[in-house]
């Protein structure tokens, strides 16, 4: 069975995975996901063209898009179930006007659906439209996937917007039109960025409404003696429910990867058995999970192929799935708890070490008067946003080098799991303002944007005129939609790495360069840093 996937930064040879996904996705699952995208476009087009408000269709679209994000769902049976669910919604929305093609699709078995999907993916679109338009089409689809992930997070916490649902339908309809042009596709990509900003605002409202505004908090990064559960992914509600269900059971809860920022939320940090953070970013999980002496809960994306050494004590929930791994639903984490009680746990305390998190927009803007004073007095000369996804591919040491080389009169804002490249290093402070400010998860790019806009207003200028540079790393589709948001806002001179997306053709890249001066990171962090600052360091 064939496949072609180039949606993540680690695409084979920088071009695309055609035999097996670097992430571990097999060809059948990949092709089924491409088939699912086609069904999502069908449903979205029907809902848009008929101006239908249909809750089942709304939720199907965001959940279906999210389930195809890198490192979410590796189970072909579950992907097939999404496709079948889409068939039923599609037929209901269509009424009596059901094309023969759809009837044929509905009669296919799993192998047939995968074969159909193999003829519908990005490779087919590049053949049909050419690399520029075909690549831009999938840039839009990948942006929609990332935005859907954030919309799903917000929905789980009860925050929704009908206009956002309508945009997903409209976006899927427009991206699948045969007569769309390059300029129209670029315009649609920026519209994805615009809507993603709104969705990130919704998610920020959902998270802070449920758990309070993050506050600066010291987080232990070494274990304490006792039974243990490790929570990875992004879903704060899963963590909250697990914390409630483990109270009084003698089990310590640790965060991993993108769950680290959870420690800054007042209603989460109030649980005394939220013991600390264990390990680093997602790509190190096989080694770290193997060594973790408890059970593991994977929420949202980030899962890798589990090793046999811990396959019986790792659990998935929500949209995450891996064949042969136990899946828990309805927020009942008793199997996870039972597995933790059976495991040996940590037999002794580790050395007491801590890092600082919790610099969301509320706490950071609370310090804005002091920051503005330090900028005006030239004690802070520049801000660097060094953030984004981490990954296993070589070249990401650039971000460590950049952070450590940044002069002591500069401040580093960081977010997402890319911060694990340097967040355990000591950067000191500038008159009480920490030089490293951890702003949270990838979706907390909203906080960074709010801070940047507030600083621009304070200095009566625009973001591009601030002493602020964006040094971004990307891996998957959430990073894509955030980049589109930054471009929608007109932010220029972004440095992106460690390599540029395979789905952006040289011609399409030139359009981005011409409009936004987006550029790849250089071979040397020092050279890039000196070019930005205009001086030697």
């Amino acid at each position: 069975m064939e496949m072609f996937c180039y949606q993540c930064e680690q695409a084979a040879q920088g071009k695309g995975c055609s035999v097996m996904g670097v992430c571990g996705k097999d060809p059948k699952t990949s092709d089924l996901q491409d088939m699912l995208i086609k069904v999502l476009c069908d449903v979205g087009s029907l809902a848009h063209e008929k101006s239908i408000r249909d809750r089942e269709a709304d939720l199907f679209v965001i959940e279906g898009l999210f389930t195809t994000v890198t490192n979410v769902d590796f189970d072909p049976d579950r992907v097939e179930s999404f496709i079948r669910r889409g068939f039923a919604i599609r037929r209901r929305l269509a009424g009596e006007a059901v094309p023969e093609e759809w009837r044929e699709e509905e009669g296919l078995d799993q192998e047939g659906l995968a074969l159909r999907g193999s003829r519908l993916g990005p490779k087919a679109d590049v053949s049909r439209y050419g690399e520029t338009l075909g690549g831009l089409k999938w840039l839009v689809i990948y942006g929609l996937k990332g935005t859907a992930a954030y919309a799903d997070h917000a929905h789980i916490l009860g925050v929704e917007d009908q206009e956002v649902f309508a945009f997903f339908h409209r976006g899927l309809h427009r991206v699948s039109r045969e007569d769309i042009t390059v300029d129209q596709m670029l315009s649609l990509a920026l519209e994805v960025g615009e809507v993603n900003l709104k969705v990130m605002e919704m998610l920020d409202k959902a998270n802070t409404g449920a758990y309070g505004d993050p506050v600066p908090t010291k987080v232990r990064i070494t274990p304490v003696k006792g039974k243990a559960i490790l929570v990875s992914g992004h879903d704060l509600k899963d963590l909250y429910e697990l914390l409630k269900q483990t109270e009084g059971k003698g089990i310590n809860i640790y965060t991993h990867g993108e769950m680290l920022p959870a420690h800054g939320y007042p209603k989460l940090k109030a649980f005394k058995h939220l013991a600390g953070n264990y390990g680093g970013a997602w790509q190190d999980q096989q080694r770290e999970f193997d060594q973790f002496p408890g059970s593991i809960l994977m929420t949202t994306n980030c899962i890798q192929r589990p090793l046999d050494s811990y396959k019986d004590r790792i659990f998935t929930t929500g949209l995450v799935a891996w064949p042969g791994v136990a899946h828990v639903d309805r927020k009942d984490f008793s199997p996870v708890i039972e597995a933790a009680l059976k495991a040996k746990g940590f037999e002794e305390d580790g050395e007491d070490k801590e890092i600082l998190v919790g610099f969301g927009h509320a706490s950071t803007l609370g310090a804005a008067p002091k920051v503005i004073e330090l900028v005006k007095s030239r004690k802070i000369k520049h801000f660097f946003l060094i953030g984004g996804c981490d990954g296993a591919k070589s070249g990401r040491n650039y971000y460590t080098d950049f952070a450590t080389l940044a002069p002591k009169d500069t401040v580093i804002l960081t977010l997402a799991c890319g911060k694990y490249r340097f967040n355990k290093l000591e950067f000191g402070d500038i008159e009480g303002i920490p030089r490293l400010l951890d702003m949270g998860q990838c979706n907390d790019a909203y906080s960074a944007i709010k801070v940047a806009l507030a600083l621009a207003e304070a200095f009566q200028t625009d973001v591009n005129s601030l002493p602020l540079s964006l040094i971004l790393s990307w891996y998957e589709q959430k990073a894509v939609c955030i980049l589109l948001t930054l471009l929608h806002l007109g932010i220029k001179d972004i440095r992106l790495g460690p390599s540029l997306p395979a789905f952006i053709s040289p011609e399409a890249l030139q359009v981005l360069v011409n409009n936004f001066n987006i550029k790849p990171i250089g071979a040397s962090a020092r050279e890039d840093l000196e070019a930005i600052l205009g001086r030697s360091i």
Side-chain angles (χ1 to χ4, degrees):
M1 188 167 289
E2 298 179 357
M3 68 174 285
F4 183 78
C5 180
Y6 61 1
Q7 70 179 8
C8 83
E9 191 270 335
Q10 293 180 182
Q13 300 179 333
K15 297 180 179 179
C17 297
S18 58
V19 178
M20 174 69 76
V22 173
C23 64
K25 182 168 59 177
D26 62 65
K28 179 190 285 187
T29 304
S30 178
D31 292 338
L32 286 169
Q33 289 184 355
D34 286 339
M35 181 64 195
L36 175 56
I37 293 295
K38 190 266 185 188
V39 177
L40 288 163
C41 287
D42 290 342
V43 170
S45 292
L46 283 168
H48 172 69
E49 290 175 331
K50 294 190 171 188
S51 300
I52 297 172
R53 295 183 63 174
D54 186 285
R55 182 160 183 78
E56 187 180 10
D58 292 343
L59 297 182
F60 169 70
V61 162
I62 64 169
E63 291 173 359
L65 285 167
F66 189 7
T67 205
T68 67
V69 168
T70 305
N71 294 86
V72 177
D73 191 346
F74 293 82
D75 187 337
D77 292 340
R78 286 176 63 89
V79 180
E80 181 188 0
S81 71
F82 261 101
I83 294 171
R84 303 280 178 202
R85 177 179 161 195
F87 286 165
I89 296 171
R90 185 176 71 177
R91 181 177 278 264
R92 179 169 55 77
L93 296 184
E96 295 182 1
V98 179
E100 183 59 32
E101 174 196 355
W102 292 3
R103 298 180 194 276
E104 292 175 2
E105 289 174 350
E106 291 169 9
L108 295 173
D109 61 11
Q110 188 177 97
E111 296 292 331
L113 290 171
L115 181 60
R116 172 81 170 131
S118 70
R119 299 168 181 166
L120 296 169
K123 199 169 185 178
D125 281 332
V126 169
S127 297
R128 183 182 300 121
Y129 303 120
E131 287 194 5
T132 299
L133 185 55
L136 288 173
K137 172 178 178 176
W138 284 87
L139 170 65
V140 171
I141 290 173
Y142 297 151
L144 288 170
K145 289 184 180 190
T147 303
Y150 295 143
D152 188 59
H153 291 321
H155 152 70
I156 287 169
L157 289 171
V159 177
E160 302 174 358
D161 188 291
Q162 189 57 43
E163 290 183 3
V164 169
F165 287 130
F167 170 74
F168 278 111
H169 300 314
R170 184 170 75 254
L172 290 169
H173 168 69
R174 289 180 61 196
V175 81
S176 55
R177 286 180 62 92
E178 293 283 340
D179 59 351
I180 194 166
T181 66
V182 167
D183 287 344
Q184 289 170 335
M185 199 70 84
L186 278 171
S187 176
L188 181 57
L190 295 180
E191 191 176 358
V192 173
E194 180 181 12
V195 174
N196 185 63
L197 179 61
K198 180 175 184 176
V199 171
M200 288 195 298
E201 182 180 13
M202 288 164 51
L203 180 53
D204 177 78
K205 177 182 177 181
N207 285 335
T208 57
Y211 309 115
D213 283 307
V215 295
T217 302
K218 290 182 177 180
V219 180
R220 185 183 177 105
I221 56 173
T222 53
V224 294
K225 183 178 179 179
K227 302 290 186 178
I229 296 175
L230 186 62
V231 184
S232 192
H234 301 74
D235 198 299
L236 298 182
K237 185 168 185 179
D238 284 334
L239 175 61
Y240 179 71
E241 294 298 328
L242 180 65
L243 286 166
K244 288 199 301 182
Q245 292 174 38
T246 50
E247 275 193 298
K249 288 184 166 61
I251 302 174
N252 291 316
I253 307 300
Y254 296 85
T255 56
H256 176 269
E258 282 274 62
M259 294 299 293
L260 168 63
H263 293 268
Y265 288 89
K267 288 189 179 179
L268 296 175
K269 64 183 289 186
F271 289 93
K272 302 302 181 185
H273 60 303
L274 181 59
N277 189 74
Y278 176 90
W282 67 272
Q283 76 276 1
D284 295 325
Q285 69 183 250
Q286 289 182 328
R287 172 179 53 82
E288 293 170 350
F289 291 3
D290 176 64
Q291 297 172 357
F292 187 77
S295 60
I296 302 148
L297 178 65
M298 292 299 304
T299 75
T300 69
N301 52 313
C302 293
I303 192 171
Q304 286 185 298
R305 179 183 64 82
L307 301 180
D308 290 341
S309 60
Y310 60 83
K311 200 169 184 179
D312 63 340
R313 53 188 176 87
I314 185 171
F315 300 82
T316 58
T317 192
L319 297 176
V320 187
W322 192 285
V325 169
H327 190 82
V328 292
D329 274 324
R330 296 179 294 278
K331 307 297 181 187
D332 177 7
F333 298 122
S334 52
V336 187
I337 295 169
E338 291 170 10
L341 292 172
K342 290 178 182 177
K344 68 177 182 179
F346 288 104
E347 297 177 337
E348 58 183 21
D349 292 347
E351 182 182 354
D352 191 3
K353 292 182 180 180
E354 296 177 322
I355 57 176
L356 193 61
V357 304
F359 291 94
H361 57 84
S363 59
T364 303
L365 291 177
K370 176 68 172 178
V371 171
I372 292 168
E373 174 192 327
L374 292 171
V375 173
K376 288 181 175 179
S377 64
R378 301 288 291 162
K379 292 179 180 178
I380 294 178
K381 293 183 180 176
H382 209 88
F383 297 88
F384 295 105
L385 174 58
I386 310 175
C389 309
D390 204 357
K393 194 170 164 182
S394 62
R396 293 180 183 269
N397 58 308
Y398 169 96
Y399 298 94
T400 310
D401 294 343
F402 199 104
T404 54
L405 288 169
K408 295 188 183 299
D409 56 6
T410 63
V411 171
I412 299 168
L413 311 175
T414 192
L415 48 82
C417 62
K419 62 174 161 271
Y420 281 106
R421 291 283 164 171
F422 48 81
N423 70 337
K424 295 175 183 177
L425 303 177
E426 180 55 53
F427 289 92
D429 66 88
I430 301 175
E431 294 193 8
I433 301 296
R435 285 194 57 235
L436 179 66
L437 301 176
D438 185 343
M439 307 198 80
Q441 294 182 341
C442 56
N443 52 280
D444 291 313
Y446 175 72
S447 279
I449 290 168
K450 282 205 70 169
V451 169
L453 293 175
L455 287 174
E457 183 178 357
F459 287 105
Q460 298 182 325
T461 186
D462 61 12
V463 172
N464 290 316
S465 300
L466 288 173
L468 168 67
S469 300
L470 279 66
I471 318 296
L472 305 182
S473 56
W474 81 284
Y475 172 68
E476 43 89 332
Q477 296 78 67
K478 292 180 181 178
V480 172
C481 67
I482 291 172
L483 176 63
L484 294 178
T485 292
L486 296 174
L487 299 183
H488 154 71
L489 291 170
I491 296 175
K492 298 182 178 181
D493 300 314
I494 298 170
R495 281 174 164 80
L496 181 66
S499 61
L500 293 178
F503 48 84
I504 296 294
S505 68
E507 295 85 357
L509 175 62
Q510 193 58 50
V511 173
L512 297 180
V513 170
N514 292 343
N515 285 278
F516 304 103
N517 201 30
I518 190 170
K519 63 192 74 175
I521 61 172
S524 164
R526 181 181 293 274
E527 289 178 4
D528 281 358
L529 192 53
E530 290 179 344
I532 291 169
L533 296 175
R535 58 186 168 99
S536 298
I537 56 171

